[in-house]
Amino acid sequence: MIALVLMLCAFAVGTSEFIVVGVLPEVSADLGVSLPSAGLLVTAYAVSVAVGGPVLTVLTGRLPRRPLLIGVMALAFVAAAVCALAPDYTVLMAARMLAALAQGLFFAVASQIAVAAVAPEKRTAAIAKIVNGVALSTVLGIPVGTLIGQNYGWRASFALVAVLTLIGLAGVALGAPKVAHEPDPGVRASLFAFGRKTVLLGLATTVLSFTGMITAFTYVAPALVEVSGFSPSWVTGVLLVYGLGTVVGSTIAGRVRTDAIMRVLPVTLGLLMLVLLATGFLLETRLTAVVALFGLGATAFVSGPLLHTFLMGQAGSAAGLVASVNISAFNVAAALGPMIGGAVIAGGFGVRWTAAAGALPTLLGVGVALVIGRLVRRGGAPVEERAEPAPVRA
């Protein structure tokens, strides 16, 4: 039950992040700001998640998990409501940054609750549910929110986010259990987790592998139109196939034992790299383009939950902080991917080959994952499988 509640919450906060992308022209016109200024609403959000999430995770480390998650979802609801009612650009920007702080802290706390509420062998499955909520927000929440915004105004899009976060808040208040979490080690001790080679290399793997995936996904809509020949009205429907792939991928990830993650991860990242390499050719026909999108979603969202679970297991009592920093690493990838794809297009290669360009950082991610696997085999069992100090009730 709690896994489904957390997936709904992840769906809500994931929709909150990118909902503004689809209604930027409407925001720009209504608030009287330029389109680039409106675009800063996306940039400021990403920066706030990347920086604010880890800071808040450290500052709230001693608080009980369940009440903290309730507070986070309440903050997300207030931020979405203020966005919907914002009288001007400044208030909207402030509310967006508030929502970003809620998101950054949400993933740290939700990850801790998810793994604490289940048996060790089900931790990957629990993390996969949260990741799947984010995936569904990109292919369902954002398109629906954009459609609502285009027909009823951009404020209606944020009203949708407010409703989703309110439902998530109710679910957490009614269904989140009290869970045990380790004593807060303090800031200095938490930072020691980042001295572990496996943690640092795992974060690097997140950046590299998801930079490759986002390089492809950022430009998939124009590629479907310009290369595959889909009409713009069909693009949203085709993207649902990508969403189906993410569901399949995260479901497969949930079946991987925690002690087998670093044997499986290089394989899944290698498959992601092959999908990226092949996408330029698969875009040639509509049928193979659909196959490519499914493969992209499935391989990326097998790898994501595996990485996140592994990192939390390696971090010990700093699991929440490492989970938050891993989300920051994903946001770094979200910034790098469009830049790489844009450079490919500017170089005259066209949108067809943006995915192939993304295969290079993913290949580097495969190499780093192989190094991590060797370190884990030399060092013995992951942190989460060793004897741990008695947890504190939250």
Side-chain angles (χ1 to χ4, degrees), residues 259 310 313-314 375-387:
D259 59 357
F310 171 77
Q314 291 294 303
L375 290 173
V376 169
R377 288 191 295 274
R378 288 179 178 176
V383 171
E384 67 180 5
E385 295 181 1
R386 300 175 186 159

Side-chain angles (χ1 to χ4, degrees), residues 128-192:
K129 290 287 187 183
I130 299 175
V131 173
N132 200 46
V134 178
L136 289 176
S137 73
T138 64
V139 296
L140 184 60
I142 294 170
V144 171
T146 300
L147 184 64
I148 290 175
Q150 290 173 344
N151 286 277
Y152 300 101
W154 65 269
R155 296 180 188 277
S157 297
F158 285 106
L160 171 66
V161 174
V163 170
L164 291 174
T165 52
L166 184 60
I167 294 173
L169 171 60
V172 169
L174 296 174
K178 290 183 177 181
V179 297
H181 77 290
E182 295 185 45
D184 180 80
V187 175
R188 182 175 298 179
S190 293
L191 294 177
F192 280 136

Side-chain angles (χ1 to χ4, degrees), residues 12-369:
V13 298
T15 302
S16 174
E17 179 168 7
F18 293 110
I19 194 74
V20 72
V21 173
V23 292
L24 277 182
E26 289 81 1
V27 172
S28 172
D30 186 47
L31 298 182
V33 297
S34 66
L35 196 59
S37 294
L40 290 177
L41 294 168
V42 179
T43 304
Y45 192 105
V47 172
S48 296
V49 171
V51 177
V55 172
L56 286 180
T57 299
V58 171
L59 294 178
T60 59
R62 296 183 182 277
L63 299 179
R65 302 295 91 182
R66 181 178 180 274
L68 180 58
L69 184 59
I70 292 174
V72 167
M73 291 308 299
L75 179 62
F77 166 71
V78 170
V82 173
C83 284
L85 301 172
D88 54 43
Y89 176 79
T90 302
V91 174
L92 180 59
M93 175 64 80
R96 286 283 294 167
M97 295 177 70
L98 195 64
L101 294 177
Q103 177 177 326
L105 185 55
F106 165 79
F107 284 106
V109 181
S111 297
Q112 288 179 299
I113 289 178
V115 300
V118 299
E121 65 273 13
K122 295 183 178 180
R123 288 177 178 175
T124 309
I127 293 296
K129 290 287 187 183
I130 299 175
V131 173
N132 200 46
V134 178
L136 289 176
S137 73
T138 64
V139 296
L140 184 60
I142 294 170
V144 171
T146 300
L147 184 64
I148 290 175
Q150 290 173 344
N151 286 277
Y152 300 101
W154 65 269
R155 296 180 188 277
S157 297
F158 285 106
L160 171 66
V161 174
V163 170
L164 291 174
T165 52
L166 184 60
I167 294 173
L169 171 60
V172 169
L174 296 174
K178 290 183 177 181
V179 297
H181 77 290
E182 295 185 45
D184 180 80
V187 175
R188 182 175 298 179
S190 293
L191 294 177
F192 280 136
F194 296 93
R196 294 192 180 106
K197 292 181 181 180
T198 51
V199 172
L200 291 176
L201 291 174
L203 293 171
T205 305
T206 294
V207 173
L208 291 168
S209 57
F210 279 94
T211 292
M213 187 275 286
I214 293 170
T215 299
F217 188 74
T218 300
Y219 299 96
V220 73
L224 289 172
V225 174
E226 297 176 20
V227 182
S228 305
F230 284 99
S231 66
S233 60
W234 274 91
V235 170
T236 299
V238 176
L239 288 177
L240 290 177
V241 176
Y242 168 85
L244 177 61
T246 66
V247 173
V248 172
S250 60
T251 300
I252 293 172
R255 298 180 181 275
V256 177
R257 288 170 49 89
T258 54
D259 59 357
I261 286 177
M262 290 317 302
R263 293 195 298 272
V264 175
L265 182 62
V267 176
T268 64
L269 291 177
L271 291 173
L272 173 60
M273 181 200 66
L274 292 176
V275 170
L276 290 169
L277 280 175
T279 295
F281 301 98
L282 295 175
L283 285 170
E284 190 64 33
T285 70
R286 294 180 183 182
L287 177 60
T288 53
V290 170
V291 172
L293 276 182
F294 179 86
L296 180 63
T299 52
F301 281 84
V302 171
S303 305
L306 296 182
L307 260 172
H308 201 72
T309 306
F310 171 77
L311 282 167
M312 291 186 69
Q314 291 294 303
S317 58
L321 178 59
V322 170
S324 182
V325 173
N326 193 43
I327 299 301
S328 299
F330 181 84
N331 277 274
V332 171
L336 293 175
M339 293 171 59
I340 294 174
V344 170
I345 296 171
F349 296 97
V351 293
R352 177 198 290 265
W353 302 113
T354 53
L360 178 57
T362 303
L363 175 61
L364 296 176
V366 174
V368 177

